[in-house]
Amino acid sequence: MGRIATAPPGLRRNLKERPRRLRRNAALRALVRETRLSPSQLILPLFVTSGHDRDEPIASLPGHSRLSTDRAVAVARDIAKVGVGGVILFGIPDAKDGEGRAASDPDGPVANTLRALRDSGLPLALAADVCLCEYTTHGHCGVIVDGDVDNDATLPIISEAAVVYAEAGADIVGPSGMMDGQVAAIREALDGSGHTQTAILAYSSKAASAFYGPFREAAGSAPAFGDRRGYQMDFANGREALREMELDVREGADMLMVKPALTSLDLLARARQRFDVPLAAYHVSGEVAMIEAAAAKGWIDRRSAALESLTAIARAGADVILTYFAADAARWLQE
Ligand code: PBG
């Protein structure tokens, strides 16, 4: 090191390859940028409730709220203006039960909001998450039989919910409960009810993760007993993640998702090589909350950290990114 510092000015090495040539100014860097984010590839998660003019802020997700249908439509209108690609709806029901029946209520918050969004004519892709955890008293993603989440007993219930959302106007349904055979069951139910055009975004590789904390606060969906490791994946497993994706492709998934995003970049890269269907990544609540918290303390630059995260997710292979930063990122990308 010392030698370089004391080298006489003007001494130049005969380097043929100098990658820095294309980093010299902003125009050159823009020209050769490999990964370009577009607002149209971003999906904003929305938590929807009953009622009117309701807006209950979610403390751990600054800028996000539980919204009644009218307020959700207002947000959708704003984000459509800046080119965000779509929304995915999560329902907060008025009442829960053991079987999560409210998930398939045709007058529940998700179905109502889907109809309102459909009627609004906004140019957004409309997705609905399909899972029971927001709707069950115990907070698990399926029905409980003999103290455990019963896979096959859950399938008809989530299939019914998917049909209700398709009926209400969803372009995409996203089963997130990690039940075996959920994609096949939902595809069959959709086709059987005439919804052959409704696409399935499979949460294929969803890890039992510590990064869902803020979401569970928002949705009131933390499990009342035990945890989700009996159905969500062990985050240590990569080959198993690929196998889950393979199964979902065979069951008829139109798109595959990995989740959380930043802890699954290797899975995205491997999936990109192996599958030709569109790939999505869910930049989950805890990933966003970490940036928000650090930014609030002045320890990190919020905008740069958010855009760097989203760009890395796209670089790894994601076509579609579900992110709480969708609205802000779309605005930043337009500047
Ligand atoms: C459950 C579901 C969860 C998320 C999306 N769908 C939570 C969980 O599995 O506990 C998490 C999303 C986030 O953290 O932003 N159906």
Side-chain angles (χ1 to χ4, degrees):
M1 285 314 269
R3 266 198 345 175
I4 290 171
T6 55
L11 183 70
R12 290 286 177 259
R13 290 200 168 262
N14 185 21
L15 285 177
K16 286 213 181 63
E17 305 230 24
R18 290 185 182 271
R20 287 185 53 188
R21 284 181 194 126
L22 295 179
R23 293 179 205 148
R24 284 175 54 231
N25 60 46
L28 287 167
R29 289 191 294 271
L31 209 56
V32 299
R33 186 150 230 225
E34 295 177 33
T35 306
R36 297 165 199 266
L37 284 177
S38 156
S40 62
Q41 75 192 122
L42 305 177
I43 292 185
L44 178 70
L46 288 177
F47 298 95
V48 293
T49 65
S50 64
H52 189 79
D53 202 20
R54 233 170 120 181
D55 179 328
E56 304 167 3
I58 300 162
S60 52
L61 285 174
H64 297 270
S65 297
R66 288 176 284 258
L67 302 168
S68 53
T69 293
D70 54 316
R71 290 297 199 101
V73 173
V75 169
R77 215 174 284 287
D78 285 346
I79 64 167
K81 274 188 210 133
V82 287
V84 169
V87 291
I88 182 162
L89 303 186
F90 295 90
I92 315 293
D94 290 332
K96 309 187 185 211
D97 62 23
E99 285 81 45
R101 294 278 163 196
S104 39
D105 180 358
D107 289 311
V110 170
N112 281 339
T113 306
L114 284 168
R115 274 189 295 273
L117 288 170
R118 178 59 63 225
D119 292 346
S120 73
L122 293 169
L124 294 168
L126 304 182
D129 180 86
V130 180
C131 192
L132 300 187
C133 67
E134 300 109 273
Y135 300 95
T136 50
T137 37
H138 45 75
H140 278 288
C141 301
V143 294
I144 305 290
V145 178
D146 295 333
D148 194 14
V149 174
D150 190 296
N151 194 87
D152 296 15
T154 301
L155 298 180
I157 306 178
I158 56 176
S159 300
E160 192 185 336
V163 170
V164 167
Y165 304 154
E167 194 74 53
D171 299 303
I172 301 167
V173 291
S176 65
M178 290 300 282
M179 296 298 121
D180 293 336
Q182 61 183 6
V183 171
I186 288 175
R187 186 71 270 158
E188 198 183 312
L190 288 172
D191 291 351
S193 56
H195 300 291
T196 56
Q197 298 305 307
T198 308
I200 298 178
L201 165 64
Y203 284 66
S204 304
S205 160
K206 175 174 177 182
S209 168
F211 293 103
Y212 307 148
F215 174 97
R216 290 180 189 172
E217 184 203 314
S221 65
F225 62 89
D227 55 42
R228 303 207 202 288
R229 285 180 288 186
Y231 42 103
Q232 297 183 343
M233 272 195 44
D234 183 343
F235 53 72
N237 294 1
R239 289 189 300 269
E240 187 189 357
L242 273 287
R243 176 166 176 243
E244 285 278 10
M245 292 187 230
E246 181 82 54
L247 290 172
D248 284 349
V249 167
R250 275 196 245 146
E251 289 180 28
D254 298 284
M255 293 187 261
L256 302 176
M257 198 204 293
V258 304
K259 178 182 170 193
L262 290 175
T263 54
S264 308
L265 297 184
D266 58 324
L267 306 178
L268 274 174
R270 288 163 75 183
R272 183 71 295 163
Q273 301 290 319
R274 187 151 146 193
F275 305 108
D276 291 326
V277 295
L279 295 178
Y282 199 140
H283 187 223
V284 300
S285 58
E287 300 180 83
V288 170
M290 288 192 294
I291 293 178
E292 294 288 7
K297 283 194 175 282
W299 292 348
I300 204 169
D301 181 68
R302 179 175 180 271
R303 171 178 168 155
S304 307
L307 287 175
E308 184 175 334
S309 300
L310 296 174
T311 303
I313 295 163
R315 190 197 66 222
D319 303 295
V320 177
I321 307 174
L322 291 75
T323 177
Y324 301 91
F325 284 129
D328 287 334
R331 287 186 197 103
W332 296 328
L333 292 170
Q334 281 194 335
E335 284 169 9

